[in-house]
Amino acid sequence: GFIVVKVKMNDLKIAAGRHRTTNIVIATFTFLGIGFVLFAALSFLVIKPIRNLRSYIQQLLFEIPKLETGAIVQLPLSEHISRTHDEIVDLDIGFNKVVQSLNEAYKKIFTLHKIQLGYADRLASTGEIAASVAHEIKNPIAGIVGALQIIKKDYPESNPKHEIIDEMLSQLARMNQSINDLLSYARPKPPELSSVRVHEIVERTLTLLSHLLEKNNITIETHLNASDARIFADTKQIQQVLWNILLNAVQAIEKDGIISISTLKQGDNVHIVVKDSGAGISDEHLSNIFKPFYTTKHKGTGLGLPICKQIIEEHRGNIVIDTIVGAGTTVKITLPLHK
């Protein structure tokens, strides 16, 4: 069977009109309530912690410049960490860990800095005294050398005293070179810069060293691929660097070996590479070779390579040493090209 219900449309319209206002009011208050709850939740759980974090970062940015004054500064930790566990709380905790690590690192750096300042002050004073003494010694040495050369002329080459005087002159020359090294390191002169070809510096240094190479039966191999490369440098200082490096190579080989010197342009730089077939340098000594006064030679001052490094860095370049024990040493100097 079936049931048929007949309702007049006017009655439905009257009923709908009667409840429409009530439904709109209920829906409006419902959405407003939900919105207020969401806003309150977001403000308490998200917006407020983010504002606290931003305020904390501003506080850190205000404190950080004080570190540059050298004062002992303890960066503050965030105090707005709630007991809840969410991403923002984890971020606050992470910030605190980073700041705590920075505080600990700064304490160590500050302590080391004070130690290094004391050491640098003592080293500077010692350097000034040594340079002053070295300068005073140079004049008497020059006088002794001159006197020995005059005395040497009074004896024929067959006289045994001739050999003794030569040995004295050799030792005085070595002493004078050591004093010059000390003065160069303690009181370095500013470089007198000019545009110069790398090729010319290399060839001039090899010419000065030729007699020593022949004496030790050492073969020189040159691969000057950057013959047209020019650098803005002090010719004498760069030549001094090459002289020291080549002299170290000769001493490492002693006799019967090969020294290779090459140049190469790469980008905005030119590379000067000196490679020898000597005994190489052990890892223990390699880490100390640029330290002043560190040397393994009984006739060395330990200032040759530190002076080289100082000169190259003043020319906005760098020097790198690579070595294999028993297979030789490679020294690579990089200098900016002069455009």
Side-chain angles (χ1 to χ4, degrees):
F2 59 89
I3 299 174
V4 177
V5 178
K6 292 182 180 181
V7 180
K8 292 181 179 180
M9 291 300 297
N10 289 335
D11 294 340
L12 287 176
K13 290 179 180 180
I14 292 170
R18 190 184 306 123
H19 295 289
R20 181 174 60 187
T21 304
T22 304
N23 290 338
I24 292 172
V25 171
I26 292 174
T28 301
F29 277 103
T30 300
F31 282 113
L32 287 175
I34 293 172
F36 178 78
V37 171
L38 289 174
F39 177 77
L42 287 173
S43 297
F44 182 75
L45 298 176
V46 179
I47 297 175
K48 184 179 178 182
I50 289 176
R51 284 178 177 172
N52 291 335
L53 184 58
R54 185 176 64 180
S55 175
Y56 173 59
I57 292 173
Q58 292 294 330
Q59 187 180 1
L60 287 179
L61 292 175
F62 178 77
E63 294 289 336
I64 285 175
K66 296 180 181 178
L67 298 175
E68 298 177 2
T69 63
I72 299 178
V73 178
Q74 186 80 7
L75 296 176
L77 300 178
S78 176
E79 299 177 353
H80 303 287
I81 299 179
S82 61
R83 296 181 180 180
T84 59
H85 294 284
D86 54 34
E87 289 76 6
I88 296 178
V89 173
D90 291 340
L91 189 61
D92 278 331
I93 294 171
F95 258 98
N96 272 355
K97 288 180 180 179
V98 170
V99 172
Q100 185 63 36
S101 299
L102 287 174
N103 284 334
E104 292 173 1
Y106 182 71
K107 284 182 181 178
K108 293 178 182 178
I109 291 172
F110 187 82
T111 304
L112 291 173
H113 181 61
K114 289 182 66 177
I115 295 172
Q116 289 295 326
L117 278 178
Y119 174 74
D121 184 61
R122 291 193 300 272
L123 185 62
S125 301
T126 305
E128 285 296 324
I129 295 170
S132 178
V133 172
H135 188 73
E136 292 298 324
I137 293 174
K138 280 178 68 68
N139 293 332
I141 287 178
I144 295 170
V145 169
L148 286 172
Q149 287 173 344
I150 293 172
I151 294 171
K152 180 181 176 182
K153 293 178 181 179
D154 295 336
Y155 296 99
E157 293 187 6
S158 59
N159 194 308
K161 292 180 181 179
H162 202 279
E163 186 178 347
I164 295 173
I165 294 173
D166 282 339
E167 180 61 25
M168 291 173 67
L169 288 171
S170 175
Q171 294 300 324
L172 285 169
R174 185 169 68 85
M175 187 184 299
N176 192 54
Q177 182 60 44
S178 298
I179 291 170
N180 287 334
D181 286 345
L182 179 60
L183 288 172
S184 296
Y185 188 78
R187 294 176 179 174
K189 295 181 180 179
E192 298 176 2
L193 303 176
S194 62
S195 180
V196 59
R197 290 175 63 218
V198 175
H199 184 79
E200 292 177 0
I201 300 177
V202 173
E203 286 190 335
R204 194 178 304 170
T205 308
L206 290 176
T207 302
L208 293 173
L209 203 67
S210 59
H211 70 284
L212 189 60
L213 297 171
E214 292 174 3
K215 179 182 176 181
N216 291 274
N217 195 28
I218 295 174
T219 303
I220 281 284
E221 295 180 352
T222 57
H223 307 280
L224 305 179
N225 298 319
S227 58
D228 61 333
R230 303 185 75 90
I231 57 175
F232 198 56
D234 187 312
T235 304
K236 292 180 179 179
Q237 290 189 358
I238 300 299
Q239 188 172 321
Q240 180 184 356
V241 170
L242 289 177
W243 171 270
N244 282 335
I245 292 171
L246 288 168
L247 191 61
N248 284 342
V250 170
Q251 293 171 351
I253 294 173
E254 293 185 353
K255 282 192 176 182
D256 302 326
I258 299 173
I259 296 176
S260 170
I261 181 166
S262 59
T263 58
L264 174 68
K265 279 200 301 185
Q266 190 173 30
D268 294 332
N269 299 312
V270 60
H271 305 291
I272 306 172
V273 182
V274 178
K275 185 176 182 181
D276 65 65
S277 59
I281 307 170
S282 66
D283 292 339
E284 176 187 358
H285 297 313
L286 187 62
S287 59
N288 296 306
I289 56 177
F290 289 118
K291 291 182 180 178
F293 307 108
Y294 182 88
T295 181
T296 58
K297 306 171 187 175
H298 66 282
K299 291 184 178 180
T301 60
L303 289 172
L305 286 175
I307 290 172
C308 292
K309 187 172 187 292
Q310 186 180 70
I311 290 172
I312 294 301
E313 287 179 349
E314 284 181 353
H315 285 76
R316 297 181 293 112
N318 66 344
I319 180 170
V320 178
I321 295 181
D322 188 23
T323 183
I324 300 175
V325 177
T329 302
T330 301
V331 181
K332 183 178 181 181
I333 300 169
T334 302
L335 292 167
L337 287 169
H338 180 224
K339 297 183 179 180

